[in-house]
Amino acid sequence: MESEDQPAFKTRGLAKTYGEGASAVHALRGVELEIPKGELVVLLGPSGSGKSTLLNILGGIDRATAGEALFHGDDLVRMDDRRLTRYRRKHVGFVFQFYNLMPSLTARENVELVAEIADKPMDAMEALERVGLKNRADHFPSELSGGEQQRVAIARAIAKQPSVLFCDEPTGALDIKTGIGVLRALQELNSTLGATTLIITHAAATGAIADRVLNLADGQLRNVEINAVKKKPEELDW
Amino acid sequence: MNELFGGMATLNKKLWRDLLRVKGQVLAIVLVIGAGIALLVMSRGMVASLDTTMRVYYARYQFADIFAPAKRAPNRLLADLRAIDGVSAAQGRIVGGGLVDLPEEAAPISAQFVSIDPDAPRRINNVAIARGVPPSSTRGGEALVLEPFAAAHGLGPGDEIAVTMHGARRVFRISGTANAPEFIYIIPPGDFAPDPARFAVLWVTREEMEAAYDLDGAFNEAVLTLSHGVDEKPVIAALDRILAPYGATGAYARADQISNKYLTEEMKQFAVMDSVMAPLFLIVSAFLLNVVMTRLVQTERTQIGLLKSFGYSNATIGLHYLMFALTIALIGTGVGWIGGLQLGRMITKVYQLYFHFPFLIFVPDFRTLNWALLSSGLTAGFGGTLAVIAAARLAPAIAMRPPAPPNYRRGASSGRGLFRIDQPTRMFMRRIVRQPVRAALTVIGIGAAMGLAVMMRFNLNAIDYMLNASFNVIDRSDILVTFAEPLSDATMYQFRNIEGVLYVEAVRSTPARFSHAGSERLAGITGIPDAPVLNRPLDSQLRQIESHGDGVLLARQYAEILNIGVGDMLTVEVREGRRPTLELPVAGFVEAMIGTPIYMKKTALDRALKEPGRISGVLLKIDPNESERIYARLKNMPMVAGVSLRREAYRNFRKLLDEGPGTFRAIMTLVSIIIAIGVVYNNARIAFIERERDLATLRILGFTKIETGYVLLGELAALTIIALPVGSLIGYLLWTYVAAAMSTDLYMIPTVVKAAGFGYAAIVVIAAGIMAGGFVQRDINRFDLVPVLKSRE
Ligand SMILES: Nc1ncnc2c1ncn2[C@@H]1O[C@H](COP(=O)(O)OP(=O)(O)OP(=O)(O)O)[C@@H](O)[C@H]1O
Ligand SMILES: [Mg+2]
């Protein structure tokens, strides 16, 4: 089944509708896309265009109402709850806008939390080192700044050596400078670990750091840009 | 006032919505408060109903204030009795023991005959006719029979009944049946358990009684009523003085009348129960309310801030939250009131097996309603106040900010020690360690539920122990035969000769007044053989007391009643025969759980009484296969005045206990499960709500439902496990208190503690925990993951 040239994700007619009848909200209306393995992808679009919905479906935490979403050839839409959980556990790393760290665990323990249930985890300290937080390993989230917390969240996401990494507005709660740091970490990890990375952002300029930029509008994929050359986050002009 | 209530209408809408939103927890609290109130309503209602019924019954049928038995007192003495200060009326009657011989019953049945003067006005100790009419003074040969006995054997007016009275056989025609205030609790003489089927009371005319007992123009028991508020003591002393020459065994007050005593003790036991239970429940409820309210105020900080910035006053907001607590308390009280009425009716039915009133209706004690409202209101007050103060105190600006995240900081217990623990375990362990007060409250709550279960179990064990010790260890006889008067010990041979009788043990007992250091007690002293085989004096370890010389052995309870110790001299005024007054040393104390016996060696007693070789009854050990034949022989032995079948009584008692207290225990066990579930579930729900976001995050990170549940349920399990020893301790303390408070000289509740009792309670609590955990796991299974990511808190 799995072959080298198979894309990481491929969707066909992917749709998500909330509610029924006249009051139905069509969050996604037939999304067709392909994301090759290992690419860094940025997802752009106005508020309410369906970015989070798409990412959540691909990440296996939400379910489409119609269409297909193939991950390495397996349809996520048709997976039951158990298989979705296994999918998330084996393959997916998440970075959320609000970090979602466990307040009762230190940075290192937050990373270990995920490493413990992974197949071939990276050492927690190594993961923290990659995001430049090795020296804060024994601090609790309440003792870290927002950017630091987000980097712990990234360390947590990569510690399991995921094949895909999803980031929903990872810089949304951060100032520009801190945001750049987070993006740099993500870009670097994408190139060194080879995990297919999908980042949602509101800043159109961010698209320049990606291999591929998906523009979403009104629940549909409007256009796809492919960058021959990726910029570094610090080279972006805001 | 407008200041306070302005905006209340809007807030009231919010109130209902809040209640619905946390309906699971509201339900749990309502059930716990309800259970507490229901018990209160039931037990107070029961006491009030018994008390009212008893008073009305006693008053209407002129239940005597004082009973003064004698051997034979001439009727003219009644004038002297009426002249005693404080006596409002005095009547003489004739009472006597005997047997009833029912064709379908193998064994003879103990009977008491009481004279009745059907034509006399205002009889003391009157009867309440149930069926038929009183015996006719003209026709003769008629008897009025105690209704519960008649009912138990299908007897009614017109039937005939064969009896042995004073050694002579007779047949009476039943003219009617009746209940009487002196036979509400129907216990055969020499027995320990009520059994209306094995105790007959027959009221026959005075003429017939005089003839049967050779008491022409005389009485053998004076019954007296006193003027309101008169002290009984001097009257009793006067009666004893006047009646002494006529063989008085000692006058006693209504409080010592056997039926009345059981009835009042029962009411006392109810009161003990509710003094323990009700506060326990209300404390647990207060705790639950506090937990829920605190959480509510926390989640509504922003709303509270908003309301305040709109100009709602602190008082209005405080009142709103107080209303929330009060509404729950009010619903709980309502549920409890209704539940209590149902329980009350249920338990009333059970009580009619024990207490035979002509009527007994469960009427709730309406004073309890005030009490219930007050206590549940206070509960709500205590439970809600802290949260309410917190809500009122919140400054609008602070309220608008999200609450500070739980402040975990590196500290002593960061848990990175010798052995590795996984992160989910670390998560809940830290939560327990960092929020010790909440953890402690939960542990106490669960412990209270467990304590209740422990206490119930011990109560059951104690009854088993009491019955087993009394009938298999202390007294191993099958039958107690009593004689109308002391007989020569040669009589024993007549019993030995009955085929199937394995062992015969002499019993010599005599009524006496015991006193020491100003305390006194009317009781019987029993002479036992030098080497007793059937009825044996045992120490607290249930070992036979071998040598006690010529001293007396007292039931352990007397140490307190008479304020006496081993070696002290006990004054014994014998109320029989030559009526000597003896000074006897106390040789030791015996373990007695049913009744309060006083023993001494029969040889020593004989010497003291200067009446050697007399016995007042025999204890028999029989071959059970021969019982029918032995019973038949007993029916035909003229000296037999009473037959008490210990084995059968033991079985009956067991059955009765299973029906009566069994029902009560079933109720209590249910209630302790409700508390346990209520506490565990509430705690789990709160933990769930507080950590919904963390738990959902775990699910997103790829943790399975079970693994996620573990983070939450592991905490509950840990707290439950910590609660087990706490609950055991609470249960043990409750039990020792209750056992002591409920012990009387009728029953001594032994404080036996069996490890199995703790085990049983632990199972109840763990089962409740599993159920509560199941509810919470269900919530986790239903998680919608997406919304969690959209919010910051
Ligand atoms: N639970 C829901 N019920 C109804 N409609 C919903 C629900 N969740 C999302 N929507 C709708 O679906 C559409 C897509 O939402 P989505 O969260 O994917 O947008 P988005 O592109 O991520 O927006 P933003 O940039 O603001 O985060 C929106 O119109 C939203 O209102
Ligand atoms: Mg979004």
Side-chain angles (χ1 to χ4, degrees):
Chain A
M1 231 1 229
E2 208 166 312
S3 67
E4 268 309 301
D5 50 335
Q6 196 180 33
F9 291 105
K10 183 179 169 66
T11 68
R12 238 175 284 151
L14 196 64
K16 173 80 180 179
T17 311
Y18 292 102
E20 278 171 29
S23 64
V25 178
H26 299 281
L28 295 179
R29 23 182 122 218
V31 174
E32 315 274 341
L33 61 74
E34 239 184 74
I35 299 174
K37 280 180 189 159
E39 280 199 357
L40 177 63
V41 178
V42 163
L43 196 51
L44 291 175
S47 182
S49 57
K51 303 182 296 292
S52 296
T53 308
L54 178 60
L55 183 123
N56 290 342
I57 291 171
L58 295 181
I61 56 177
D62 201 357
R63 226 175 256 283
T65 28
E68 291 182 338
L70 303 179
F71 167 75
H72 293 182
D74 292 332
D75 190 357
L76 297 170
V77 177
R78 257 161 277 287
M79 284 189 191
D80 65 8
D81 209 73
R82 290 246 309 281
R83 289 189 59 204
L84 278 180
T85 303
R86 204 177 327 137
Y87 161 66
R88 295 198 300 269
R89 187 174 182 129
K90 272 181 88 116
H91 302 287
V92 183
F94 281 106
V95 176
F96 312 105
Q97 182 178 1
F98 300 114
Y99 333 132
N100 290 50
L101 297 176
M102 298 295 137
S104 57
L105 298 179
T106 62
R108 185 221 297 240
E109 287 160 356
N110 262 289
V111 178
E112 283 174 348
L113 178 70
V114 168
E116 276 168 5
I117 59 164
D119 289 340
K120 38 179 203 313
M122 182 189 294
D123 180 63
M125 287 311 278
E126 191 195 328
L128 284 170
E129 189 164 16
R130 280 172 183 266
V131 296
L133 279 177
K134 198 179 168 189
N135 56 336
R136 308 297 301 275
D138 289 329
H139 288 233
F140 284 98
S142 58
E143 299 167 317
L144 298 173
S145 76
E148 286 163 344
Q149 288 187 53
Q150 193 58 298
R151 273 145 65 200
V152 173
I154 293 171
R156 179 176 67 181
I158 61 168
K160 66 160 70 153
Q161 314 237 38
S163 38
V164 287
L165 185 58
F166 293 104
C167 315
D168 193 342
E169 300 185 38
T171 59
L174 305 174
D175 62 52
I176 291 173
K177 193 161 160 282
T178 323
I180 288 172
V182 167
L183 289 176
R184 194 169 45 212
L186 287 173
Q187 198 186 44
E188 214 173 282
L189 291 166
N190 171 254
S191 60
T192 54
L193 297 175
T196 312
T197 307
L198 198 62
I199 302 173
I200 293 180
T201 173
H202 271 126
T206 311
I209 68 162
D211 294 304
R212 188 180 293 252
V213 179
L214 306 179
N215 274 295
L216 222 57
D218 202 16
Q220 279 172 323
L221 192 58
R222 275 296 139 84
N223 65 61
V224 181
E225 297 160 38
I226 297 178
N227 295 328
V229 187
K230 290 188 273 187
K231 281 191 180 175
K232 291 201 174 306
E234 51 270 39
E235 296 165 3
L236 298 175
D237 40 339
W238 300 86
Chain B
M1 254 354 210
N2 253 353
E3 176 77 0
L4 187 58
F5 290 106
M8 276 318 270
T10 328
L11 284 181
N12 284 344
K13 265 186 227 146
K14 173 176 166 332
L15 180 84
W16 287 113
R17 240 170 259 147
D18 286 346
L19 284 170
L20 283 178
R21 199 155 48 80
V22 291
K23 55 181 176 298
Q25 291 150 88
V26 169
L27 183 70
I29 303 172
V30 162
L31 284 180
V32 175
I33 295 182
I37 299 293
L39 284 184
L40 199 71
V41 170
M42 177 194 80
S43 62
R44 301 217 162 187
M46 199 62 223
V47 171
S49 302
L50 285 173
D51 191 60
T52 314
T53 311
M54 182 187 85
R55 276 174 209 285
V56 171
Y57 193 26
Y58 283 1
R60 188 177 303 163
Y61 296 97
Q62 295 238 50
F63 189 39
D65 290 312
I66 306 222
F67 296 77
K71 207 168 162 70
R72 180 198 181 95
N75 285 338
R76 61 171 162 77
L77 225 52
L78 287 169
D80 297 353
L81 301 189
R82 288 186 191 113
I84 297 172
D85 237 10
V87 169
S88 66
Q91 289 169 12
R93 63 181 192 173
I94 301 171
V95 295
L99 298 175
V100 160
D101 179 3
L102 294 180
E104 77 276 10
E105 291 283 319
I109 294 170
S110 294
Q112 183 163 358
F113 300 91
V114 183
S115 67
I116 187 170
D117 189 350
D119 308 319
R122 292 195 60 76
R123 285 173 303 222
I124 297 176
N125 280 358
N126 206 348
V127 298
I129 302 283
R131 293 180 279 162
V133 293
S136 146
S137 46
T138 50
R139 272 196 299 278
E142 287 187 346
L144 195 59
V145 179
L146 189 61
E147 165 65 20
F149 175 81
H153 295 285
L155 296 171
D159 291 335
E160 298 202 320
I161 188 167
V163 305
T164 307
M165 52 198 305
H166 211 217
R169 304 202 57 138
R170 288 208 50 179
V171 172
F172 282 104
R173 207 170 58 76
I174 299 176
S175 65
T177 64
N179 285 291
E182 57 187 314
F183 301 111
I184 293 171
Y185 192 80
I186 301 171
I187 185 162
D191 263 356
F192 45 85
D195 189 354
R198 293 210 46 83
F199 183 45
V201 176
L202 282 83
W203 286 271
V204 300
T205 58
R206 192 174 168 92
E207 291 74 36
E208 311 232 33
M209 285 301 280
E210 283 185 356
Y213 290 89
D214 299 323
L215 286 168
D216 278 338
F219 62 90
N220 66 5
E221 183 173 66
V223 287
L224 303 91
T225 53
L226 301 182
S227 307
H228 190 70
V230 169
D231 183 14
E232 298 150 348
K233 275 230 174 82
V235 178
I236 288 175
L239 282 167
D240 282 353
R241 202 174 51 249
I242 297 172
L243 290 172
Y246 306 96
T249 54
Y252 55 91
R254 183 195 279 184
D256 290 317
Q257 198 266 345
I258 191 84
S259 162
N260 179 73
K261 192 162 179 166
Y262 272 99
L263 186 54
T264 47
E265 291 297 350
E266 190 64 35
M267 291 194 270
K268 254 188 239 158
Q269 300 209 345
F270 257 119
V272 170
M273 272 312 208
D274 89 29
S275 73
V276 175
M277 299 301 164
L280 199 71
F281 277 88
L282 297 175
I283 288 169
V284 172
S285 317
F287 150 70
L288 289 178
L289 263 175
N290 181 337
V291 170
V292 171
M293 297 282 300
T294 305
R295 178 61 206 166
L296 190 71
V297 170
Q298 226 175 63
T299 49
E300 294 187 350
R301 296 163 63 90
T302 335
Q303 292 185 45
I304 295 169
L306 214 57
L307 291 173
K308 284 194 183 174
S309 65
F310 292 162
Y312 281 81
S313 73
N314 279 348
T316 311
I317 290 174
L319 193 66
H320 165 67
Y321 285 97
L322 197 61
M323 291 268 287
F324 181 86
L326 283 174
T327 308
I328 295 178
L330 210 64
I331 299 174
T333 308
V335 167
W337 183 261
I338 294 166
L341 292 185
Q342 291 304 325
L343 288 184
R345 294 198 184 106
M346 237 167 88
I347 213 93
T348 303
K349 288 219 183 76
V350 169
Y351 268 81
Q352 279 162 338
L353 298 171
Y354 291 86
F355 298 109
H356 301 270
F357 289 99
F359 53 90
L360 177 62
I361 303 160
F362 180 80
V363 182
D365 180 4
F366 281 94
R367 279 165 307 177
T368 317
L369 187 57
N370 301 333
W371 221 97
L373 283 172
L374 183 73
S375 50
S376 67
L378 281 177
T379 302
F382 281 124
T385 302
L386 287 179
V388 167
I389 290 174
R393 278 240 189 95
L394 278 177
I398 288 178
M400 300 298 280
R401 281 206 296 273
N407 199 4
Y408 288 94
R409 296 194 167 276
R410 278 155 302 150
S413 58
S414 58
R416 195 161 281 279
L418 288 173
F419 52 92
R420 276 189 61 85
I421 44 172
D422 56 276
Q423 306 310 326
T425 306
R426 182 166 286 143
M427 281 172 73
F428 75 68
M429 284 184 25
R430 282 217 180 113
R431 224 179 96 91
I432 294 174
V433 174
R434 304 294 165 98
Q435 300 188 329
V437 175
R438 169 182 306 177
L441 285 174
T442 305
V443 164
I444 292 170
I446 301 174
M450 176 166 169
L452 210 59
V454 167
M455 191 187 81
M456 285 302 126
R457 200 64 194 173
F458 283 170
N459 185 18
L460 194 70
N461 289 344
I463 289 170
D464 273 339
Y465 179 85
M466 175 175 93
L467 289 182
N468 184 48
S470 301
F471 296 103
N472 296 323
V473 184
I474 298 176
D475 183 350
R476 300 184 289 190
S477 67
D478 296 316
I479 303 177
L480 166 67
V481 176
T482 45
F483 307 145
E485 276 165 301
L487 300 174
S488 148
D489 54 11
T491 321
M492 280 173 73
Y493 294 106
Q494 292 190 38
F495 292 92
R496 281 204 190 119
N497 287 336
I498 302 176
E499 202 177 315
V501 170
L502 305 177
Y503 194 84
V504 180
E505 187 164 292
V507 177
R508 171 72 169 114
S509 65
T510 180
R513 180 172 172 274
F514 300 85
S515 53
H516 175 259
S519 309
E520 54 156 75
R521 186 49 82 95
L522 214 53
I525 184 163
T526 304
I528 52 174
D530 288 356
V533 171
L534 297 182
N535 186 22
R536 306 171 303 157
L538 304 183
D539 66 14
S540 60
Q541 305 300 306
L542 299 187
R543 285 174 311 223
Q544 187 154 355
I545 300 173
E546 299 291 353
S547 63
H548 46 101
D550 286 353
V552 292
L553 294 173
L554 302 173
R556 189 151 58 89
Q557 293 89 315
Y558 282 113
E560 211 174 301
I561 298 171
L562 295 176
N563 186 26
I564 200 166
V566 173
D568 290 348
M569 296 304 282
L570 178 68
T571 306
V572 182
E573 298 163 49
V574 176
R575 294 289 172 78
E576 198 189 80
R578 296 171 40 255
R579 302 173 73 87
T581 295
L582 314 170
E583 292 287 329
L584 299 171
V586 175
F589 290 100
V590 298
E591 191 69 12
M593 277 153 266
I594 295 175
T596 42
I598 297 173
Y599 298 120
M600 70 186 288
K601 281 192 177 151
K602 184 172 175 304
T603 43
L605 184 63
D606 283 353
R607 236 177 299 132
L609 296 175
K610 298 208 166 72
E611 277 182 20
R614 311 225 117 219
I615 58 175
S616 49
V618 286
L619 287 168
L620 306 179
K621 178 106 202 136
I622 65 166
D623 174 356
N625 298 322
E626 300 284 343
S627 58
E628 300 275 312
R629 193 210 311 246
I630 296 167
Y631 294 158
R633 280 295 301 280
L634 293 178
K635 276 187 179 177
N636 292 314
M637 296 174 92
M639 72 287 230
V640 173
V643 173
S644 142
L645 307 177
R646 322 288 269 183
R647 282 289 130 199
E648 197 164 307
Y650 171 57
R651 270 199 303 276
N652 280 341
F653 198 28
R654 274 247 67 117
K655 208 177 105 216
L656 204 67
L657 285 173
D658 288 343
E659 283 167 21
T663 311
F664 191 67
R665 265 195 310 276
I667 294 171
M668 295 305 301
T669 304
L670 187 72
V671 151
S672 63
I673 291 175
I674 289 177
I675 296 195
I677 294 182
V679 171
V680 179
Y681 175 70
N682 236 304
N683 192 62
R685 260 315 284 187
I686 298 288
F688 175 77
I689 294 169
E690 278 182 7
R691 304 165 69 196
E692 205 169 352
R693 186 180 159 79
D694 291 354
L695 297 172
T697 303
L698 288 176
R699 288 281 289 124
I700 292 169
L701 292 176
F703 283 76
T704 62
K705 288 170 180 172
I706 300 290
E707 286 166 344
T708 308
Y710 170 74
V711 175
L712 196 59
L713 302 180
E715 176 180 335
L716 291 181
L719 292 178
T720 307
I721 288 166
I722 299 171
L724 296 181
V726 174
S728 301
L729 183 68
I730 293 176
Y732 177 77
L733 295 176
L734 274 180
W735 169 238
T736 40
Y737 168 72
V738 166
M742 300 219 297
S743 286
T744 63
D745 42 342
L746 299 174
Y747 296 113
M748 173 90 186
I749 313 264
T751 46
V752 278
V753 168
K754 276 196 192 163
F758 295 120
Y760 163 83
I763 288 169
V764 168
V765 168
I766 290 169
I770 289 172
M771 265 174 87
F775 289 137
V776 175
Q777 181 72 51
R778 209 185 44 176
D779 291 337
I780 290 175
N781 291 350
R782 284 182 186 163
F783 250 149
D784 193 359
L785 301 180
V786 181
V788 178
L789 301 174
K790 291 188 180 164
S791 67
R792 189 180 183 102
E793 210 247 325

